[in-house]
Amino acid sequence: MLMRPLALRPQLTPGLPFSVGLRLCHRRYCRPGYTGEHCKSVVSLALEVAEHLGLSPERQRNLEFAALLHDVGKIAIPKEIINKPGKLDPHEWTIIKTHTVEGQKMLERVGGFMRQVGLIVRSHHERWDGGGYPDGLAGEDIPLEARIITCCDTWNAMRTDRPYRKALSHDVAVAELLSNAGGQFDPHVVETFVRLVAPADQPDAPQANAAVAVRAPAPLIAGSAKV
């Protein structure tokens, strides 16, 4: 898959206080290590999916900022929770789940089209089957942009080394997405995404990789919540 360059387009919305919005973007990009690279990768993947799904330029712009800032609310979460190498306890889990709402609040304060971006950020941990957070939305009630981010975010988490496990192989990560389509993920988004990340010599990757053995999908997918 060819990764398109990032293309932030502030000129599309005159009057927005972009000095605030772009400082948020800069903060995400310039943090060293995993977090900054993770955000940039999710942006590129999400834009590829959005283009293939035919989203309008305005919706692609909103998606671009939302993918970049999807975890901005974690600024409000204590570092000892964010950086904890092991499993979160129930209290820590409750705290970290607030990052979606905290992110929306931050973007609401920026104003302009960032309010729409905030709605996407709020929903990027919702699940297609209604089991996500913070609002328990299901199916097409979840903004499409958020459904795209959920898929791309999880893919990037699975394909990256973490303190508690090594990165999953391409085929195993694809199998995880396919096995959770209709549960955690929008099936149509997964189908589109898997075709985009297919190796050039495997154009029918969704069908070919569907038979790949899945290794404990629930823990691996749930582990992406700390992304």
Side-chain angles (χ1 to χ4, degrees), residues 27-51:
R27 184 165 187 171
R28 301 309 293 170
Y29 272 137
C30 294
R31 290 182 65 183
Y34 172 76
T35 303
E37 291 305 313
H38 168 72
C39 288
K40 287 187 282 186
S41 178
V42 173
V43 172
S44 296
L45 290 167
L47 288 174
E48 290 284 351
V49 175
E51 184 171 328

Side-chain angles (χ1 to χ4, degrees), residues 27-138:
R27 184 165 187 171
R28 301 309 293 170
Y29 272 137
C30 294
R31 290 182 65 183
Y34 172 76
T35 303
E37 291 305 313
H38 168 72
C39 288
K40 287 187 282 186
S41 178
V42 173
V43 172
S44 296
L45 290 167
L47 288 174
E48 290 284 351
V49 175
E51 184 171 328
H52 280 77
L53 291 178
L55 269 67
S56 69
E58 180 180 0
R59 293 184 70 180
Q60 288 193 42
R61 175 206 61 193
N62 292 347
L63 172 63
E64 185 171 14
F65 275 88
L68 175 63
L69 298 171
H70 67 281
D71 277 341
V72 71
K74 288 185 178 178
I75 294 171
I77 307 299
K79 288 183 179 179
E80 57 268 25
I81 295 178
I82 296 295
N83 297 325
K84 184 176 179 178
K87 185 178 179 180
L88 300 178
D89 65 34
H91 177 65
E92 292 166 334
W93 177 239
T94 298
I95 292 173
I96 205 167
K97 288 198 294 185
T98 65
H99 79 276
T100 56
V101 176
E102 292 296 332
Q104 182 191 21
K105 290 177 181 177
M106 292 177 188
L107 297 173
E108 278 280 341
R109 291 196 291 271
V110 174
F113 79 81
M114 284 292 187
R115 293 191 178 94
Q116 295 300 313
V117 173
L119 294 174
I120 300 168
V121 168
R122 180 185 180 96
S123 298
H124 80 277
H125 276 292
E126 301 287 0
R127 292 173 52 107
W128 181 258
D129 62 9
Y133 64 88
D135 302 308
L137 301 179

Side-chain angles (χ1 to χ4, degrees), residues 178-221:
L178 290 170
S179 69
N180 286 277
Q184 183 173 358
F185 308 116
D186 177 340
H188 185 47
V189 170
V190 169
E191 180 184 7
T192 301
F193 181 87
V194 170
R195 290 189 182 280
L196 286 172
V197 299
D201 60 345
Q202 295 182 31
D204 296 324
Q207 290 74 28
N209 286 327
V212 176
V214 177
R215 298 184 305 183
L220 292 173
I221 297 297

